[in-house]
Structure formats: structure tokens, C-alpha cells
Amino acid sequence: MIMAAGFGTRLGELSELRPKPMLPVCGAPLVRWAALWLRAQGIREIVINLHHRGEQIEAELGDGSELGLAIAYSREDGEILGTGGGLRQARPLLDDGHGTPIVAMNGKIILDQALAPVLALHHALAAEATMLLRPDPEAERWGSLRVDPEGRVTHLLGKSGPKDQVGGAALMFTGVQVLAPRFLDRIPASGQQCIVRTAYSQLHAEGGAFAGFVTDDYWWEHSTRERYLQGVANVIEGRARVAHAPGPVRGVGASAQIDATARVDPMTWIGPGVRVGAGAEIGPRVQLGAGVVVDPGVRLRDAIVWDDAHVTRDLEHEVLAR
């Protein structure tokens, strides 16, 4: 399941135009990157929950057949249901009745981690739930977890379980998880719900089978303008392997028209139909969406320009959406 129903308020005015999973990265929105990551792990049936501007996500992916996937949608009308409530509502679309694990991920991330070893740990520990975790210097700020050497979670939100196990360094939850269908029974039956503070907290307090797979592989979430700019730069500069990328992550589209006197840095992604005027300087770490027009002499650095925008001034550390 791709969790795609958030409001995206930390993006400011960008969220008025698109939900976070529709932020474009090198020619494709994050939700397409997520679907392709799941496909690369062998998953062919995907559920996506929708709320704020969810029609954009459905228009982007449709029924999934273009990607060799079968995609169903869980629409949250009125009140947004949160990370727990969204899974609870989508359960009829997720649970096949045979105990098959459910893989859920946040729709605003790009990652490299392979799913197979996460599933292997989930099965080896007969876990009811398994989180993908990573080291982070601010893990304590976001509500940290700790695991023992076997991968059992010892601390959640800074609290130890009933067995008082000794855990390692503080870790953060990546938004990727593997769940036994019965785990969804722990989500309260009504209201907006955070899955960590309800279902996971209950499982942890009971000392249930709760696992955490720790990764150092590339992972990035795009929840603010700053993180969005850095995430695009990470992909363009090759910090992510992204074998599942929807297309080239740098270079100039074949139909782009670049004036002979313009300078284009190699660490740039320029989409189809772009026109760059005389003397313009593009890059490094610049993404120009399809149909963008850059006026003569304009300088762009560490910038993202969405499709069909007209750039009339210098940009640095900016996202130009219109």
C-alpha cells in the first residue's frame, strides 16, 4: 500500500497545487517512483489511499496497467484518517484472507533498500509487524526506536517494552513497514489514528513480535521545500542508486532547445520541450520540467521548475511552480 492521503501543509503554497506524492522528480511524481519501487520488489497489486487532491494521483497512475500493476484506490472522503485509519479502511483491499503480509510505504519517499531481507527478518522472527529503520542524528526528536542484535524492537518512542531488553543506538522509522493482517485489528475502529501511537504502541507494550530492519541505504522524504530541493539534488548527483527510476535522472531531453551560448551543467535534468535562451546558465542541481521556457541571461542554481513555467529571473534554492 502507498500511503498518499496527507495534506502536505509544510510545503506551503506548493500543497495547494499538488499533494506531496505528486511532487515531480526528474520527470515523474513521487507516487510513480513509489509504485516502481514496489514493482521492483516483486509486488504487482497495490492499494493507494487518497484525500487531498487525490484525483491527481489517480489520473497519474490509473489502474496501473501501464506499469504492469493492478492498482486500487481507497478514497478518504471528509475527515482524513491518518496512518492507522487509512490502513484500517483499506483492509478489504489489502487482506487476502490467507495471512499474506502487507507492505505499506509513505508516498513521499525515494529509497534504494531491497524488500527481500526485510521480509526475511519479518518471517524469521514470526513478527506481527516489522518497521524499516535507519540511523538519524535527530532520531530522538522524531520519536526514536531501538533494536537488539537479532532485530527485535526494544524501545518505541523512547519507552522500553515489558521485557526491558537492551537496545542499540536510536533509530527512526522510514515509513516502510511489513504487517501481518491481524496487526490491523489493533487500530481503533473509529477516528483519525496514528498507527505508531495506537497499534504499534499496543504491540510494544504487550511484548509482541515486533521487528525492526536497520538500513544505511539511500532513503529520503520530501516533506518541505528544502527537503524537496535536496532530494532532487541527491537523485541528480547520484547519491541514490534508484535502479527502479522511471527514466534518466540527469541530462537534456531530446526535444529540448538549448541556445548555443547557454551553459548547462552536467548535474542537471532538463525535460522535453524545454527552451533555454541565449547566455542562460543552468545548474548545477537544477530540474526543468517539460515545456519550461528560460529567458536569455537567466541563471538557475539549486532550483526546481515545474512543467510549462516561464522563468524570467534568476533562481537559487527555489521551487518555481507556476
Side-chain angles (χ1 to χ4, degrees), residues 90-289:
R91 183 170 185 170
L93 300 171
L94 295 167
D95 188 353
D96 65 0
H98 300 290
T100 304
I102 296 163
V103 177
M105 68 180 296
N106 196 304
K108 64 182 179 183
I109 65 174
I110 290 177
L111 74 163
D112 282 337
Q113 173 65 46
L115 184 60
V118 184
L119 286 170
L121 177 67
H122 182 77
H123 290 303
L125 297 182
E128 190 174 321
T130 300
M131 287 180 166
L132 181 65
L133 307 172
R134 63 187 300 274
D136 190 283
E138 295 193 61
E140 296 285 6
R141 175 186 173 192
W142 299 113
S144 67
L145 297 95
R146 298 175 189 269
V147 299
D148 68 16
E150 286 72 44
R152 296 178 179 86
V153 172
T154 62
H155 293 71
L156 174 67
L157 301 177
K159 298 179 181 178
S160 63
K163 300 175 184 177
D164 291 324
Q165 306 108 303
V166 176
L171 303 162
M172 67 163 287
F173 178 36
T174 65
V176 178
Q177 53 197 318
V178 179
L179 310 172
R182 69 182 185 279
F183 177 74
L184 302 185
D185 292 334
R186 297 181 179 275
I187 301 170
S190 62
Q192 183 181 143
Q193 304 296 345
C194 167
I195 195 169
V196 174
R197 287 172 172 77
T198 57
Y200 275 109
S201 292
Q202 183 186 93
L203 176 65
H204 181 59
E206 292 176 359
F210 181 10
F213 185 96
V214 183
T215 182
D216 287 315
D217 280 354
Y218 180 79
W219 172 92
W220 197 261
E221 59 88 23
H222 305 73
S223 60
T224 65
R225 282 175 179 258
E226 293 74 20
R227 291 195 65 85
Y228 178 34
L229 284 161
Q230 186 60 58
V232 168
N234 290 346
V235 172
I236 289 174
E237 293 192 323
R239 296 187 186 92
R241 295 194 306 272
V242 289
H244 59 286
V249 297
R250 68 185 67 86
V252 180
S255 61
Q257 301 174 36
I258 312 295
D259 188 274
T261 62
R263 184 190 69 81
V264 177
D265 190 278
M267 292 299 148
T268 298
W269 187 92
I270 296 180
V274 170
R275 289 182 289 149
V276 177
E281 297 183 15
I282 312 299
R285 298 173 296 277
V286 168
Q287 170 182 298
L288 302 181

